[in-house]
Amino acid sequence: MELEKLIRDVPNFPKEGIIFKDITTLLKDSTGLNATINALYDLAKEKGITKVAGIESRGFILGGALAQKLNAGFVPIRKPKKLPAETISASYELEYGTDKIEIHKDAIVPGDKVLLHDDLLATGGTMEAAVKLIEQLGGEVVQISFIIELDFLKGKEKLKNYEVHSLIHYQEE
Ligand code: AMP
């Protein structure tokens, strides 16, 4: 199935010059949703994964489905001030300024084998920060998966020591 056909390009969202890759058109298609979950599951099923960590907010959707299929736990990595208990945080660079993500301190225990998941890899800053959070808590990042990768932004270079998979690649904007 050609998943790429189910992704909607929305020009100039959330700001001028960005082409937003909208996955809601894929999510609402039952065949596309099922094919996406199964493809990501096949990549991860032999890895002994104990936790799937998803990045707010679109990483929660398939992250939860993957955790259930892998018989693993699910861990949310969230924007600042959303998680109620004790957290650690990591900052990353944006085009203008910095941003932060957080994880509960007790979400990962040493020895956990973690699959990190988000909908899209752009510059890689968000995922690089997420890797730091998992490792700081003693988890091992055994795989990183995305639905979409924007190859031309070279985000993979920030993740070169890890196994990274994306189902759909865009070579240019
Ligand atoms: P980055 O840290 O640059 O890799 O950005 C990745 C995060 O930003 C992901 O959580 C994506 O959901 C979001 N993102 C960045 N660029 C786009 C885009 N063109 N379309 C949709 N989401 C994007």
Side-chain angles (χ1 to χ4, degrees), residues 135-173:
E135 292 184 343
Q136 204 178 321
L137 295 175
E140 181 195 350
V141 176
V142 301
Q143 188 177 85
I144 302 173
S145 72
F146 302 92
I147 305 171
I148 299 168
E149 179 170 343
L150 305 182
D151 295 10
F152 52 93
L153 293 177
K154 301 193 184 344
K156 222 180 221 163
E157 287 176 7
K158 290 204 177 79
L159 307 171
K160 60 177 179 290
N161 297 323
Y162 301 90
E163 181 186 318
V164 179
H165 296 284
S166 310
L167 301 181
I168 303 168
H169 291 264
Y170 293 91
Q171 257 80 45
E172 56 195 40
E173 242 174 309

PDB file of all heavy atoms in Angstrom, residues 135-173:
ATOM      1  N   GLU A 135      18.442   7.819  28.001  1.00  0.00           N
ATOM      2  CA  GLU A 135      19.760   7.335  28.439  1.00  0.00           C
ATOM      3  C   GLU A 135      20.098   7.845  29.838  1.00  0.00           C
ATOM      4  O   GLU A 135      20.725   7.140  30.628  1.00  0.00           O
ATOM      5  CB  GLU A 135      20.827   7.718  27.408  1.00  0.00           C
ATOM      6  CG  GLU A 135      20.608   6.942  26.105  1.00  0.00           C
ATOM      7  CD  GLU A 135      21.662   7.168  25.044  1.00  0.00           C
ATOM      8  OE1 GLU A 135      22.415   8.169  25.143  1.00  0.00           O
ATOM      9  OE2 GLU A 135      21.725   6.349  24.102  1.00  0.00           O
ATOM     10  N   GLN A 136      19.672   9.061  30.128  1.00  0.00           N
ATOM     11  CA  GLN A 136      19.915   9.613  31.474  1.00  0.00           C
ATOM     12  C   GLN A 136      19.237   8.770  32.554  1.00  0.00           C
ATOM     13  O   GLN A 136      19.724   8.669  33.670  1.00  0.00           O
ATOM     14  CB  GLN A 136      19.385  11.054  31.508  1.00  0.00           C
ATOM     15  CG  GLN A 136      20.046  11.919  32.564  1.00  0.00           C
ATOM     16  CD  GLN A 136      19.500  13.342  32.502  1.00  0.00           C
ATOM     17  OE1 GLN A 136      19.267  13.883  31.420  1.00  0.00           O
ATOM     18  NE2 GLN A 136      19.281  13.944  33.657  1.00  0.00           N
ATOM     19  N   LEU A 137      18.135   8.145  32.189  1.00  0.00           N
ATOM     20  CA  LEU A 137      17.421   7.295  33.152  1.00  0.00           C
ATOM     21  C   LEU A 137      17.904   5.843  33.112  1.00  0.00           C
ATOM     22  O   LEU A 137      17.353   4.980  33.798  1.00  0.00           O
ATOM     23  CB  LEU A 137      15.914   7.358  32.887  1.00  0.00           C
ATOM     24  CG  LEU A 137      15.261   8.728  33.118  1.00  0.00           C
ATOM     25  CD1 LEU A 137      13.796   8.708  32.715  1.00  0.00           C
ATOM     26  CD2 LEU A 137      15.397   9.173  34.580  1.00  0.00           C
ATOM     27  N   GLY A 138      18.921   5.566  32.290  1.00  0.00           N
ATOM     28  CA  GLY A 138      19.505   4.220  32.265  1.00  0.00           C
ATOM     29  C   GLY A 138      18.878   3.279  31.249  1.00  0.00           C
ATOM     30  O   GLY A 138      19.188   2.084  31.223  1.00  0.00           O
ATOM     31  N   GLY A 139      18.004   3.800  30.389  1.00  0.00           N
ATOM     32  CA  GLY A 139      17.392   2.967  29.350  1.00  0.00           C
ATOM     33  C   GLY A 139      18.315   2.833  28.143  1.00  0.00           C
ATOM     34  O   GLY A 139      19.187   3.671  27.926  1.00  0.00           O
ATOM     35  N   GLU A 140      18.088   1.758  27.372  1.00  0.00           N
ATOM     36  CA  GLU A 140      18.854   1.555  26.137  1.00  0.00           C
ATOM     37  C   GLU A 140      17.918   1.840  24.963  1.00  0.00           C
ATOM     38  O   GLU A 140      16.844   1.229  24.864  1.00  0.00           O
ATOM     39  CB  GLU A 140      19.338   0.094  26.083  1.00  0.00           C
ATOM     40  CG  GLU A 140      20.172  -0.216  24.859  1.00  0.00           C
ATOM     41  CD  GLU A 140      20.343  -1.713  24.600  1.00  0.00           C
ATOM     42  OE1 GLU A 140      19.960  -2.526  25.479  1.00  0.00           O
ATOM     43  OE2 GLU A 140      20.825  -2.070  23.520  1.00  0.00           O
ATOM     44  N   VAL A 141      18.319   2.768  24.092  1.00  0.00           N
ATOM     45  CA  VAL A 141      17.505   3.074  22.909  1.00  0.00           C
ATOM     46  C   VAL A 141      17.833   2.030  21.836  1.00  0.00           C
ATOM     47  O   VAL A 141      18.884   2.088  21.214  1.00  0.00           O
ATOM     48  CB  VAL A 141      17.788   4.506  22.403  1.00  0.00           C
ATOM     49  CG1 VAL A 141      17.015   4.781  21.113  1.00  0.00           C
ATOM     50  CG2 VAL A 141      17.425   5.534  23.477  1.00  0.00           C
ATOM     51  N   VAL A 142      16.942   1.082  21.637  1.00  0.00           N
ATOM     52  CA  VAL A 142      17.254  -0.006  20.698  1.00  0.00           C
ATOM     53  C   VAL A 142      16.745   0.278  19.285  1.00  0.00           C
ATOM     54  O   VAL A 142      17.242  -0.279  18.326  1.00  0.00           O
ATOM     55  CB  VAL A 142      16.748  -1.392  21.167  1.00  0.00           C
ATOM     56  CG1 VAL A 142      17.353  -1.773  22.501  1.00  0.00           C
ATOM     57  CG2 VAL A 142      15.247  -1.441  21.253  1.00  0.00           C
ATOM     58  N   GLN A 143      15.783   1.179  19.168  1.00  0.00           N
ATOM     59  CA  GLN A 143      15.295   1.561  17.841  1.00  0.00           C
ATOM     60  C   GLN A 143      14.568   2.904  17.932  1.00  0.00           C
ATOM     61  O   GLN A 143      13.998   3.227  18.966  1.00  0.00           O
ATOM     62  CB  GLN A 143      14.329   0.500  17.299  1.00  0.00           C
ATOM     63  CG  GLN A 143      13.926   0.708  15.857  1.00  0.00           C
ATOM     64  CD  GLN A 143      13.024  -0.408  15.352  1.00  0.00           C
ATOM     65  OE1 GLN A 143      11.815  -0.367  15.538  1.00  0.00           O
ATOM     66  NE2 GLN A 143      13.617  -1.426  14.739  1.00  0.00           N
ATOM     67  N   ILE A 144      14.645   3.657  16.824  1.00  0.00           N
ATOM     68  CA  ILE A 144      13.911   4.919  16.722  1.00  0.00           C
ATOM     69  C   ILE A 144      13.097   4.829  15.435  1.00  0.00           C
ATOM     70  O   ILE A 144      13.655   4.529  14.373  1.00  0.00           O
ATOM     71  CB  ILE A 144      14.872   6.121  16.653  1.00  0.00           C
ATOM     72  CG1 ILE A 144      15.785   6.143  17.887  1.00  0.00           C
ATOM     73  CG2 ILE A 144      14.101   7.428  16.527  1.00  0.00           C
ATOM     74  CD1 ILE A 144      16.886   7.207  17.832  1.00  0.00           C
ATOM     75  N   SER A 145      11.770   5.072  15.530  1.00  0.00           N
ATOM     76  CA  SER A 145      10.973   4.968  14.307  1.00  0.00           C
ATOM     77  C   SER A 145      10.084   6.190  14.104  1.00  0.00           C
ATOM     78  O   SER A 145       9.647   6.844  15.056  1.00  0.00           O
ATOM     79  CB  SER A 145      10.139   3.686  14.306  1.00  0.00           C
ATOM     80  OG  SER A 145       9.080   3.749  15.227  1.00  0.00           O
ATOM     81  N   PHE A 146       9.878   6.484  12.828  1.00  0.00           N
ATOM     82  CA  PHE A 146       9.039   7.604  12.404  1.00  0.00           C
ATOM     83  C   PHE A 146       8.120   7.120  11.282  1.00  0.00           C
ATOM     84  O   PHE A 146       8.475   6.183  10.547  1.00  0.00           O
ATOM     85  CB  PHE A 146       9.895   8.741  11.826  1.00  0.00           C
ATOM     86  CG  PHE A 146      10.939   9.278  12.761  1.00  0.00           C
ATOM     87  CD1 PHE A 146      12.224   8.751  12.754  1.00  0.00           C
ATOM     88  CD2 PHE A 146      10.647  10.311  13.640  1.00  0.00           C
ATOM     89  CE1 PHE A 146      13.203   9.242  13.617  1.00  0.00           C
ATOM     90  CE2 PHE A 146      11.616  10.807  14.504  1.00  0.00           C
ATOM     91  CZ  PHE A 146      12.894  10.275  14.494  1.00  0.00           C
ATOM     92  N   ILE A 147       7.006   7.774  11.108  1.00  0.00           N
ATOM     93  CA  ILE A 147       6.211   7.525   9.904  1.00  0.00           C
ATOM     94  C   ILE A 147       6.915   8.195   8.722  1.00  0.00           C
ATOM     95  O   ILE A 147       7.098   7.598   7.668  1.00  0.00           O
ATOM     96  CB  ILE A 147       4.767   8.079  10.047  1.00  0.00           C
ATOM     97  CG1 ILE A 147       4.080   7.518  11.291  1.00  0.00           C
ATOM     98  CG2 ILE A 147       3.958   7.769   8.786  1.00  0.00           C
ATOM     99  CD1 ILE A 147       2.737   8.180  11.606  1.00  0.00           C
ATOM    100  N   ILE A 148       7.343   9.448   8.937  1.00  0.00           N
ATOM    101  CA  ILE A 148       7.871  10.280   7.845  1.00  0.00           C
ATOM    102  C   ILE A 148       9.251  10.823   8.186  1.00  0.00           C
ATOM    103  O   ILE A 148       9.504  11.222   9.328  1.00  0.00           O
ATOM    104  CB  ILE A 148       6.926  11.494   7.615  1.00  0.00           C
ATOM    105  CG1 ILE A 148       5.529  11.017   7.207  1.00  0.00           C
ATOM    106  CG2 ILE A 148       7.493  12.455   6.557  1.00  0.00           C
ATOM    107  CD1 ILE A 148       4.484  12.122   7.237  1.00  0.00           C
ATOM    108  N   GLU A 149      10.124  10.859   7.173  1.00  0.00           N
ATOM    109  CA  GLU A 149      11.435  11.508   7.340  1.00  0.00           C
ATOM    110  C   GLU A 149      11.647  12.513   6.213  1.00  0.00           C
ATOM    111  O   GLU A 149      11.471  12.175   5.041  1.00  0.00           O
ATOM    112  CB  GLU A 149      12.534  10.434   7.312  1.00  0.00           C
ATOM    113  CG  GLU A 149      13.938  10.983   7.450  1.00  0.00           C
ATOM    114  CD  GLU A 149      14.972   9.871   7.662  1.00  0.00           C
ATOM    115  OE1 GLU A 149      14.584   8.725   8.019  1.00  0.00           O
ATOM    116  OE2 GLU A 149      16.159  10.150   7.453  1.00  0.00           O
ATOM    117  N   LEU A 150      12.020  13.728   6.588  1.00  0.00           N
ATOM    118  CA  LEU A 150      12.365  14.753   5.588  1.00  0.00           C
ATOM    119  C   LEU A 150      13.884  14.664   5.379  1.00  0.00           C
ATOM    120  O   LEU A 150      14.658  15.304   6.083  1.00  0.00           O
ATOM    121  CB  LEU A 150      11.949  16.151   6.077  1.00  0.00           C
ATOM    122  CG  LEU A 150      10.466  16.312   6.473  1.00  0.00           C
ATOM    123  CD1 LEU A 150      10.172  17.754   6.902  1.00  0.00           C
ATOM    124  CD2 LEU A 150       9.532  15.896   5.338  1.00  0.00           C
ATOM    125  N   ASP A 151      14.281  13.809   4.430  1.00  0.00           N
ATOM    126  CA  ASP A 151      15.700  13.481   4.240  1.00  0.00           C
ATOM    127  C   ASP A 151      16.573  14.726   4.060  1.00  0.00           C
ATOM    128  O   ASP A 151      17.700  14.782   4.545  1.00  0.00           O
ATOM    129  CB  ASP A 151      15.891  12.580   3.013  1.00  0.00           C
ATOM    130  CG  ASP A 151      15.225  11.217   3.190  1.00  0.00           C
ATOM    131  OD1 ASP A 151      14.461  11.035   4.156  1.00  0.00           O
ATOM    132  OD2 ASP A 151      15.471  10.330   2.351  1.00  0.00           O
ATOM    133  N   PHE A 152      16.023  15.730   3.351  1.00  0.00           N
ATOM    134  CA  PHE A 152      16.821  16.915   2.996  1.00  0.00           C
ATOM    135  C   PHE A 152      17.201  17.756   4.218  1.00  0.00           C
ATOM    136  O   PHE A 152      18.089  18.597   4.139  1.00  0.00           O
ATOM    137  CB  PHE A 152      16.084  17.777   1.956  1.00  0.00           C
ATOM    138  CG  PHE A 152      14.667  18.128   2.357  1.00  0.00           C
ATOM    139  CD1 PHE A 152      14.387  19.300   3.030  1.00  0.00           C
ATOM    140  CD2 PHE A 152      13.614  17.259   2.055  1.00  0.00           C
ATOM    141  CE1 PHE A 152      13.089  19.628   3.403  1.00  0.00           C
ATOM    142  CE2 PHE A 152      12.308  17.564   2.426  1.00  0.00           C
ATOM    143  CZ  PHE A 152      12.040  18.751   3.104  1.00  0.00           C
ATOM    144  N   LEU A 153      16.582  17.527   5.361  1.00  0.00           N
ATOM    145  CA  LEU A 153      16.967  18.271   6.573  1.00  0.00           C
ATOM    146  C   LEU A 153      18.031  17.533   7.390  1.00  0.00           C
ATOM    147  O   LEU A 153      18.522  18.043   8.392  1.00  0.00           O
ATOM    148  CB  LEU A 153      15.728  18.549   7.435  1.00  0.00           C
ATOM    149  CG  LEU A 153      14.707  19.507   6.814  1.00  0.00           C
ATOM    150  CD1 LEU A 153      13.489  19.665   7.725  1.00  0.00           C
ATOM    151  CD2 LEU A 153      15.331  20.875   6.544  1.00  0.00           C
ATOM    152  N   LYS A 154      18.363  16.314   6.941  1.00  0.00           N
ATOM    153  CA  LYS A 154      19.497  15.558   7.500  1.00  0.00           C
ATOM    154  C   LYS A 154      19.420  15.307   9.011  1.00  0.00           C
ATOM    155  O   LYS A 154      20.431  15.289   9.705  1.00  0.00           O
ATOM    156  CB  LYS A 154      20.820  16.261   7.146  1.00  0.00           C
ATOM    157  CG  LYS A 154      21.034  16.414   5.642  1.00  0.00           C
ATOM    158  CD  LYS A 154      22.452  16.811   5.349  1.00  0.00           C
ATOM    159  CE  LYS A 154      22.796  17.093   3.922  1.00  0.00           C
ATOM    160  NZ  LYS A 154      21.975  16.694   2.840  1.00  0.00           N
ATOM    161  N   GLY A 155      18.222  15.120   9.501  1.00  0.00           N
ATOM    162  CA  GLY A 155      18.040  14.835  10.926  1.00  0.00           C
ATOM    163  C   GLY A 155      18.729  13.550  11.366  1.00  0.00           C
ATOM    164  O   GLY A 155      19.154  13.423  12.520  1.00  0.00           O
ATOM    165  N   LYS A 156      18.861  12.613  10.436  1.00  0.00           N
ATOM    166  CA  LYS A 156      19.476  11.322  10.768  1.00  0.00           C
ATOM    167  C   LYS A 156      20.911  11.485  11.245  1.00  0.00           C
ATOM    168  O   LYS A 156      21.399  10.655  12.022  1.00  0.00           O
ATOM    169  CB  LYS A 156      19.438  10.427   9.543  1.00  0.00           C
ATOM    170  CG  LYS A 156      19.069   9.002   9.867  1.00  0.00           C
ATOM    171  CD  LYS A 156      19.044   8.152   8.625  1.00  0.00           C
ATOM    172  CE  LYS A 156      17.869   7.208   8.641  1.00  0.00           C
ATOM    173  NZ  LYS A 156      17.560   6.662   7.335  1.00  0.00           N
ATOM    174  N   GLU A 157      21.578  12.537  10.786  1.00  0.00           N
ATOM    175  CA  GLU A 157      22.975  12.740  11.206  1.00  0.00           C
ATOM    176  C   GLU A 157      23.081  12.925  12.721  1.00  0.00           C
ATOM    177  O   GLU A 157      24.082  12.570  13.325  1.00  0.00           O
ATOM    178  CB  GLU A 157      23.587  13.944  10.468  1.00  0.00           C
ATOM    179  CG  GLU A 157      23.872  13.611   9.017  1.00  0.00           C
ATOM    180  CD  GLU A 157      24.397  14.775   8.202  1.00  0.00           C
ATOM    181  OE1 GLU A 157      24.678  15.857   8.790  1.00  0.00           O
ATOM    182  OE2 GLU A 157      24.509  14.603   6.974  1.00  0.00           O
ATOM    183  N   LYS A 158      22.043  13.479  13.324  1.00  0.00           N
ATOM    184  CA  LYS A 158      22.060  13.658  14.784  1.00  0.00           C
ATOM    185  C   LYS A 158      21.806  12.335  15.511  1.00  0.00           C
ATOM    186  O   LYS A 158      21.993  12.232  16.707  1.00  0.00           O
ATOM    187  CB  LYS A 158      20.978  14.664  15.207  1.00  0.00           C
ATOM    188  CG  LYS A 158      21.256  16.086  14.802  1.00  0.00           C
ATOM    189  CD  LYS A 158      20.504  17.042  15.727  1.00  0.00           C
ATOM    190  CE  LYS A 158      20.793  18.488  15.425  1.00  0.00           C
ATOM    191  NZ  LYS A 158      20.032  19.004  14.263  1.00  0.00           N
ATOM    192  N   LEU A 159      21.349  11.327  14.766  1.00  0.00           N
ATOM    193  CA  LEU A 159      20.967  10.043  15.379  1.00  0.00           C
ATOM    194  C   LEU A 159      21.818   8.908  14.837  1.00  0.00           C
ATOM    195  O   LEU A 159      21.417   7.749  14.849  1.00  0.00           O
ATOM    196  CB  LEU A 159      19.479   9.764  15.081  1.00  0.00           C
ATOM    197  CG  LEU A 159      18.491  10.885  15.446  1.00  0.00           C
ATOM    198  CD1 LEU A 159      17.105  10.576  14.890  1.00  0.00           C
ATOM    199  CD2 LEU A 159      18.425  11.085  16.955  1.00  0.00           C
ATOM    200  N   LYS A 160      23.029   9.240  14.380  1.00  0.00           N
ATOM    201  CA  LYS A 160      23.785   8.250  13.598  1.00  0.00           C
ATOM    202  C   LYS A 160      24.249   7.031  14.389  1.00  0.00           C
ATOM    203  O   LYS A 160      24.580   6.015  13.791  1.00  0.00           O
ATOM    204  CB  LYS A 160      24.938   8.905  12.837  1.00  0.00           C
ATOM    205  CG  LYS A 160      25.965   9.618  13.684  1.00  0.00           C
ATOM    206  CD  LYS A 160      27.084  10.147  12.763  1.00  0.00           C
ATOM    207  CE  LYS A 160      28.134  10.889  13.530  1.00  0.00           C
ATOM    208  NZ  LYS A 160      27.668  12.197  14.059  1.00  0.00           N
ATOM    209  N   ASN A 161      24.254   7.119  15.712  1.00  0.00           N
ATOM    210  CA  ASN A 161      24.658   5.946  16.501  1.00  0.00           C
ATOM    211  C   ASN A 161      23.496   5.007  16.815  1.00  0.00           C
ATOM    212  O   ASN A 161      23.636   4.078  17.605  1.00  0.00           O
ATOM    213  CB  ASN A 161      25.299   6.398  17.813  1.00  0.00           C
ATOM    214  CG  ASN A 161      26.558   7.193  17.550  1.00  0.00           C
ATOM    215  OD1 ASN A 161      27.313   6.871  16.624  1.00  0.00           O
ATOM    216  ND2 ASN A 161      26.772   8.252  18.312  1.00  0.00           N
ATOM    217  N   TYR A 162      22.345   5.250  16.203  1.00  0.00           N
ATOM    218  CA  TYR A 162      21.136   4.486  16.540  1.00  0.00           C
ATOM    219  C   TYR A 162      20.516   3.872  15.285  1.00  0.00           C
ATOM    220  O   TYR A 162      20.759   4.321  14.174  1.00  0.00           O
ATOM    221  CB  TYR A 162      20.123   5.404  17.244  1.00  0.00           C
ATOM    222  CG  TYR A 162      20.708   5.990  18.497  1.00  0.00           C
ATOM    223  CD1 TYR A 162      21.400   7.198  18.458  1.00  0.00           C
ATOM    224  CD2 TYR A 162      20.653   5.296  19.703  1.00  0.00           C
ATOM    225  CE1 TYR A 162      22.007   7.715  19.599  1.00  0.00           C
ATOM    226  CE2 TYR A 162      21.247   5.803  20.843  1.00  0.00           C
ATOM    227  CZ  TYR A 162      21.925   7.014  20.784  1.00  0.00           C
ATOM    228  OH  TYR A 162      22.523   7.511  21.913  1.00  0.00           O
ATOM    229  N   GLU A 163      19.678   2.854  15.520  1.00  0.00           N
ATOM    230  CA  GLU A 163      18.931   2.237  14.415  1.00  0.00           C
ATOM    231  C   GLU A 163      17.686   3.082  14.166  1.00  0.00           C
ATOM    232  O   GLU A 163      16.798   3.145  15.026  1.00  0.00           O
ATOM    233  CB  GLU A 163      18.559   0.803  14.815  1.00  0.00           C
ATOM    234  CG  GLU A 163      17.806   0.072  13.731  1.00  0.00           C
ATOM    235  CD  GLU A 163      17.305  -1.299  14.203  1.00  0.00           C
ATOM    236  OE1 GLU A 163      18.033  -2.031  14.892  1.00  0.00           O
ATOM    237  OE2 GLU A 163      16.151  -1.606  13.864  1.00  0.00           O
ATOM    238  N   VAL A 164      17.635   3.722  13.018  1.00  0.00           N
ATOM    239  CA  VAL A 164      16.531   4.636  12.709  1.00  0.00           C
ATOM    240  C   VAL A 164      15.755   4.114  11.494  1.00  0.00           C
ATOM    241  O   VAL A 164      16.363   3.743  10.489  1.00  0.00           O
ATOM    242  CB  VAL A 164      17.058   6.059  12.395  1.00  0.00           C
ATOM    243  CG1 VAL A 164      15.907   6.998  12.049  1.00  0.00           C
ATOM    244  CG2 VAL A 164      17.854   6.619  13.576  1.00  0.00           C
ATOM    245  N   HIS A 165      14.424   4.079  11.604  1.00  0.00           N
ATOM    246  CA  HIS A 165      13.580   3.657  10.480  1.00  0.00           C
ATOM    247  C   HIS A 165      12.476   4.682  10.249  1.00  0.00           C
ATOM    248  O   HIS A 165      11.871   5.167  11.208  1.00  0.00           O
ATOM    249  CB  HIS A 165      12.892   2.327  10.780  1.00  0.00           C
ATOM    250  CG  HIS A 165      13.833   1.189  10.954  1.00  0.00           C
ATOM    251  ND1 HIS A 165      14.451   0.579   9.896  1.00  0.00           N
ATOM    252  CD2 HIS A 165      14.275   0.561  12.065  1.00  0.00           C
ATOM    253  CE1 HIS A 165      15.221  -0.402  10.337  1.00  0.00           C
ATOM    254  NE2 HIS A 165      15.146  -0.424  11.657  1.00  0.00           N
ATOM    255  N   SER A 166      12.208   4.961   8.965  1.00  0.00           N
ATOM    256  CA  SER A 166      11.060   5.795   8.599  1.00  0.00           C
ATOM    257  C   SER A 166      10.353   5.116   7.440  1.00  0.00           C
ATOM    258  O   SER A 166      11.015   4.578   6.552  1.00  0.00           O
ATOM    259  CB  SER A 166      11.515   7.188   8.155  1.00  0.00           C
ATOM    260  OG  SER A 166      12.402   7.737   9.107  1.00  0.00           O
ATOM    261  N   LEU A 167       9.024   5.153   7.440  1.00  0.00           N
ATOM    262  CA  LEU A 167       8.274   4.444   6.394  1.00  0.00           C
ATOM    263  C   LEU A 167       8.196   5.243   5.103  1.00  0.00           C
ATOM    264  O   LEU A 167       8.153   4.683   4.023  1.00  0.00           O
ATOM    265  CB  LEU A 167       6.859   4.134   6.888  1.00  0.00           C
ATOM    266  CG  LEU A 167       6.753   3.274   8.147  1.00  0.00           C
ATOM    267  CD1 LEU A 167       5.281   3.035   8.484  1.00  0.00           C
ATOM    268  CD2 LEU A 167       7.483   1.948   7.977  1.00  0.00           C
ATOM    269  N   ILE A 168       8.147   6.566   5.229  1.00  0.00           N
ATOM    270  CA  ILE A 168       7.994   7.431   4.047  1.00  0.00           C
ATOM    271  C   ILE A 168       9.121   8.451   4.047  1.00  0.00           C
ATOM    272  O   ILE A 168       9.365   9.098   5.077  1.00  0.00           O
ATOM    273  CB  ILE A 168       6.639   8.183   4.089  1.00  0.00           C
ATOM    274  CG1 ILE A 168       5.473   7.204   4.198  1.00  0.00           C
ATOM    275  CG2 ILE A 168       6.471   9.087   2.869  1.00  0.00           C
ATOM    276  CD1 ILE A 168       4.147   7.873   4.535  1.00  0.00           C
ATOM    277  N   HIS A 169       9.802   8.569   2.914  1.00  0.00           N
ATOM    278  CA  HIS A 169      10.914   9.531   2.806  1.00  0.00           C
ATOM    279  C   HIS A 169      10.594  10.603   1.768  1.00  0.00           C
ATOM    280  O   HIS A 169      10.089  10.296   0.691  1.00  0.00           O
ATOM    281  CB  HIS A 169      12.191   8.809   2.368  1.00  0.00           C
ATOM    282  CG  HIS A 169      12.736   7.884   3.419  1.00  0.00           C
ATOM    283  ND1 HIS A 169      13.734   8.259   4.286  1.00  0.00           N
ATOM    284  CD2 HIS A 169      12.396   6.619   3.755  1.00  0.00           C
ATOM    285  CE1 HIS A 169      13.998   7.244   5.107  1.00  0.00           C
ATOM    286  NE2 HIS A 169      13.203   6.240   4.807  1.00  0.00           N
ATOM    287  N   TYR A 170      10.917  11.847   2.114  1.00  0.00           N
ATOM    288  CA  TYR A 170      10.828  12.939   1.136  1.00  0.00           C
ATOM    289  C   TYR A 170      12.237  13.454   0.876  1.00  0.00           C
ATOM    290  O   TYR A 170      12.927  13.871   1.813  1.00  0.00           O
ATOM    291  CB  TYR A 170       9.941  14.075   1.673  1.00  0.00           C
ATOM    292  CG  TYR A 170       8.494  13.677   1.806  1.00  0.00           C
ATOM    293  CD1 TYR A 170       8.009  13.137   2.990  1.00  0.00           C
ATOM    294  CD2 TYR A 170       7.604  13.827   0.738  1.00  0.00           C
ATOM    295  CE1 TYR A 170       6.684  12.745   3.113  1.00  0.00           C
ATOM    296  CE2 TYR A 170       6.278  13.445   0.862  1.00  0.00           C
ATOM    297  CZ  TYR A 170       5.822  12.909   2.051  1.00  0.00           C
ATOM    298  OH  TYR A 170       4.512  12.533   2.178  1.00  0.00           O
ATOM    299  N   GLN A 171      12.652  13.377  -0.397  1.00  0.00           N
ATOM    300  CA  GLN A 171      14.012  13.812  -0.743  1.00  0.00           C
ATOM    301  C   GLN A 171      14.102  15.332  -0.864  1.00  0.00           C
ATOM    302  O   GLN A 171      15.155  15.910  -0.736  1.00  0.00           O
ATOM    303  CB  GLN A 171      14.451  13.193  -2.077  1.00  0.00           C
ATOM    304  CG  GLN A 171      15.405  12.019  -1.900  1.00  0.00           C
ATOM    305  CD  GLN A 171      14.655  10.745  -1.531  1.00  0.00           C
ATOM    306  OE1 GLN A 171      13.650  10.446  -2.132  1.00  0.00           O
ATOM    307  NE2 GLN A 171      15.149  10.004  -0.538  1.00  0.00           N
ATOM    308  N   GLU A 172      12.984  15.945  -1.205  1.00  0.00           N
ATOM    309  CA  GLU A 172      12.969  17.406  -1.311  1.00  0.00           C
ATOM    310  C   GLU A 172      11.639  17.960  -0.855  1.00  0.00           C
ATOM    311  O   GLU A 172      10.659  17.222  -0.738  1.00  0.00           O
ATOM    312  CB  GLU A 172      13.242  17.833  -2.755  1.00  0.00           C
ATOM    313  CG  GLU A 172      12.274  17.212  -3.729  1.00  0.00           C
ATOM    314  CD  GLU A 172      12.755  17.323  -5.169  1.00  0.00           C
ATOM    315  OE1 GLU A 172      13.964  17.152  -5.404  1.00  0.00           O
ATOM    316  OE2 GLU A 172      11.898  17.586  -6.017  1.00  0.00           O
ATOM    317  N   GLU A 173      11.606  19.283  -0.619  1.00  0.00           N
ATOM    318  CA  GLU A 173      10.401  19.913  -0.079  1.00  0.00           C
ATOM    319  C   GLU A 173       9.208  19.860  -0.993  1.00  0.00           C
ATOM    320  O   GLU A 173       9.301  19.857  -2.184  1.00  0.00           O
ATOM    321  CB  GLU A 173      10.690  21.366   0.275  1.00  0.00           C
ATOM    322  CG  GLU A 173      10.503  21.573   1.760  1.00  0.00           C
ATOM    323  CD  GLU A 173      10.909  22.971   2.200  1.00  0.00           C
ATOM    324  OE1 GLU A 173      12.019  23.356   1.846  1.00  0.00           O
ATOM    325  OE2 GLU A 173      10.106  23.630   2.864  1.00  0.00           O
TER     326      GLU A 173
END
